[in-house]
Amino acid sequence: MSAALGLKTKPTTTEPDDDDDSDISALINRLTAEVNQIAVDKTKSIQQITNQMKMLALNALIESSRAGAQGAGFAVVAQEVRGVGQQVETIARELETQLTKRTGDLVASIDRMSQRSRGERMMDLSLNAVELIDRNLYERTCDVRWWATDSAMVDCAASPAPAAVTYASQRLSVILGAYTVYLDLWLCDLDGNVIANGRADRFRVVGQNVAHTKWFREAKTLRSGDDYVAGDIESQPLLGNAQVATYCASVRAGGQANGAPVGVLAIHFDWEPQARAIVQGVRVGDNDKARVLLVDSHFRVIAASDGQGILSERISLSLNGQRSGFYQDRTGTMIAFHATPGYETYRGLGWYGVIVCGA
């Protein structure tokens, strides 16, 4: 179980140097453009020479006609020179056309390869982002199931006498001191009343009823102490409208997985700073002008590297039945995405890592 920051599961990865790829592509493009320019320049020089040859042949023809019979043989040579000049000009023109087409095709092919390489890299990075949050949130599911078996939680939920409530609150406070990724921890009875919390001095939630919340309703139906509820990201009014991811487990008699439910433990993961650290830590290049996002199953933005649109913006993703991929929209913007792979017993909530790169 991770304490404090809760990000220690971040894998060490060796990522390709995008600068090297772009430098190679730029070099090939530059050399191809230079070859194309050389071909154009040289064919123009050939055309200038053939024009001179044709001009000389024309002058020779004129002079031979003036010479009459004596110039007849020279006229034949001049005519041949003129024909050769015409052939050379035709060959030069065809050479220019073919070389320009070939170099143009090469540049287009390099651009496509570069775009594909960039898209695949962004897709991998979008997977990296959502995978990191999956691993992080897997630990939250472990935390809540573990703490729900604490004897202080079990005793207080079963019989919330003042002494039991005080002790449970103290235990929750101690946990919060070590696990700084949480805003608060709530112990609720089966009617949805908060009977103890870890930060009573900051959040006066004891006595509040949360029976209407989706996460509490789902927690009441959990089949055993081995199961858990992972809530969607929300702004929690009782926590100052902070963005939280709430995880729940049932508190059961004797702390046993198959014991009768006596309460619900809800832990509120401090979402915004933790998610921000992940999306801002994705190693996109400065030249990519990229916006790194996490979106939920409804494509609602739940984390953004630029801090914009969180919980209010919905993006349009063209998935085409794929769990991962990349494409360019009508504006030329590249969009890469990857669905949550889940981690261990955490199946994920249908989220996506998304990277939007400026045109």
Side-chain angles (χ1 to χ4, degrees), residues 23-49:
D23 287 347
I24 293 172
S25 297
L27 175 61
I28 295 174
N29 273 316
R30 181 172 60 80
L31 293 175
T32 303
E34 289 177 359
V35 169
N36 185 67
Q37 189 60 49
I38 290 171
V40 170
D41 292 342
K42 295 303 181 183
T43 52
K44 284 182 178 178
S45 297
I46 293 172
Q47 288 172 347
Q48 290 175 353
I49 293 171

Side-chain angles (χ1 to χ4, degrees), residues 130-326:
V130 74
E131 188 175 42
L132 283 175
I133 202 66
D134 278 351
R135 293 187 179 203
N136 192 301
L137 298 183
Y138 160 72
E139 295 189 358
R140 312 291 67 87
T141 69
C142 296
D143 290 344
V144 71
R145 287 177 288 176
W146 172 28
W147 298 335
T149 65
D150 189 296
S151 61
M153 305 303 115
V154 175
D155 293 344
C156 183
S159 180
V165 169
T166 298
Y167 183 53
S169 297
Q170 289 174 347
R171 287 288 299 147
L172 293 174
S173 180
V174 168
I175 292 172
L176 285 172
Y179 288 75
T180 58
V181 296
Y182 295 105
L183 272 178
D184 204 4
L185 312 178
W186 299 350
L187 178 62
C188 308
D189 64 21
L190 292 178
D191 293 322
N193 298 305
V194 180
I195 56 179
N197 73 311
R199 289 200 170 110
D201 57 334
R202 181 176 173 187
F203 304 113
R204 300 185 181 280
V205 297
V206 171
Q208 296 288 337
N209 187 277
V210 295
H212 63 284
T213 62
K214 183 172 180 288
W215 47 262
F216 181 83
R217 294 198 306 270
E218 291 179 353
K220 280 192 65 174
T221 65
L222 291 174
R223 292 175 295 179
S224 78
D226 294 328
D227 298 325
Y228 64 87
V229 170
D232 287 321
I233 308 305
E234 63 176 358
S235 293
Q236 174 52 251
L238 297 178
L239 296 174
N241 287 318
Q243 298 168 16
V244 296
T246 299
Y247 291 79
C248 301
S250 54
V251 180
R252 294 178 175 262
Q256 300 298 311
N258 59 354
V262 293
V264 168
L265 180 64
I267 64 176
H268 300 289
F269 182 64
D270 193 3
W271 171 258
E272 195 275 333
Q274 315 304 326
R276 183 179 68 244
I278 287 178
V279 293
Q280 290 186 346
V282 174
R283 293 176 56 190
V284 294
D286 292 338
N287 294 332
D288 290 312
K289 302 176 183 177
R291 186 184 186 211
V292 183
L293 307 172
L294 293 173
V295 302
D296 65 16
S297 59
H298 302 292
F299 305 146
R300 180 185 59 154
V301 174
I302 55 177
S305 57
D306 61 359
Q308 302 299 309
I310 300 174
L311 303 188
S312 61
E313 178 186 357
R314 293 183 187 274
I315 67 169
S316 177
L317 277 184
S318 296
L319 302 179
N320 294 322
Q322 303 297 312
R323 289 182 56 80
S324 63
F326 61 90

Side-chain angles (χ1 to χ4, degrees), residues 82-102:
R82 185 180 186 183
V84 170
Q86 186 65 48
Q87 289 177 359
V88 172
E89 182 181 26
T90 300
I91 291 171
R93 187 178 295 111
E94 290 175 350
L95 177 63
E96 179 183 6
T97 300
Q98 291 177 8
L99 279 175
T100 301
K101 182 179 184 302
R102 295 294 190 277

